[in-house]
Amino acid sequence: GYTQGSHLQAEFELTDALQDGTNTLRIMVRKWCSGSYLEDQDFFRYHGIFRDVYLLQRPPHHIRDFDIKAGADGILHVKTDQQADMRLYDGDILLEEKKSCGDAEFVVLNPTLWNAEKPYLYTLELTCAGEVITQKIGFRDIAISDRYELLINGQSVKLKGVNHHDSTPDAGWCMTVEQQKQDLLLMKQIGINCIRTSHYPPAPEFLDLCDELGFYVIL
C-alpha cells in the first residue's frame, strides 16, 4: 500500500499477506512527496510517523459505516450499513434498545442539551457480529439567525477561538492523550470555547476530548 497524507488515516487490507506465527510489518517513510507541498502550513516541519500504527482484526460483516443525527428536540436518528443491536444510555441508565436494525430512531424526553458550558453526553452502543462500538452523543441544534448570529440550541453564542496544532517540545507532532487534554484544559481556564484544527484532521481522540470538555470545533 501507499499513502502520502501524513495527517490522514490510511487503511490497508493485510489478511492475504498474514501467515501463521510471527509476521513482520515493514514501513518505508519518504522525506518528501507532492503531499508535502499541499500540507505546507505555518508549522514546524517534521518527518516520520506520528500517529498510531496497529493491526486490527474484525469479524466478517462488521459495521463499516454509521451515521448519527441528534437534535435539541431529543430525536436521535441512527443509520448503519449492517443490522445491529442499538442501546442508548444516559450515564449507566439504559433509556431504549433496538434489536437487529440498520435504521432506527430514539426519542429522549426533555434531553439535557450539549453546549460548551455544559457538555453533556449520552452513550450509544452498536453491537454487530460480536463487536461493540461505543459512541458518545450530544443533543444540540446549530443555526444562523436573521441577524447572522450563531445560535446553539437557540441561544446566541460568540466564538472565542484559537488555531491548534499538534505540538510538543520534545516529541514534535506526537501528542499523547494526556498532553492533548492538558492543552484543552488550559484553553478552558482562559475562556476559549472554539478550536480551528488548522488545515489537517486532528487525532480522533482530540475530537472526543472536545466533545467531553466542551469546545466548538471548526475542521
Side-chain angles (χ1 to χ4, degrees), residues 8 16 41 46 78 81 86 113 125 168 175 180 195 218:
L8 299 172
D16 295 339
Q41 306 300 334
Y46 299 109
V78 184
D81 63 347
M86 305 180 186
L113 301 184
E125 276 189 3
T168 63
M175 296 190 73
Q180 295 176 56
I195 295 169
I218 301 173

Side-chain angles (χ1 to χ4, degrees), residues 2-6 30-41 45:
Y2 175 77
T3 182
Q4 62 180 36
S6 66
R30 297 186 179 275
K31 186 173 182 179
W32 303 110
C33 67
S34 59
S36 304
Y37 173 79
L38 298 174
E39 292 182 347
D40 188 12
Q41 306 300 334
R45 306 301 299 273

Side-chain angles (χ1 to χ4, degrees), residues 69-81:
K69 292 182 173 62
D73 55 4
I75 297 176
L76 170 66
H77 187 216
V78 184
K79 187 173 183 180
T80 64
D81 63 347

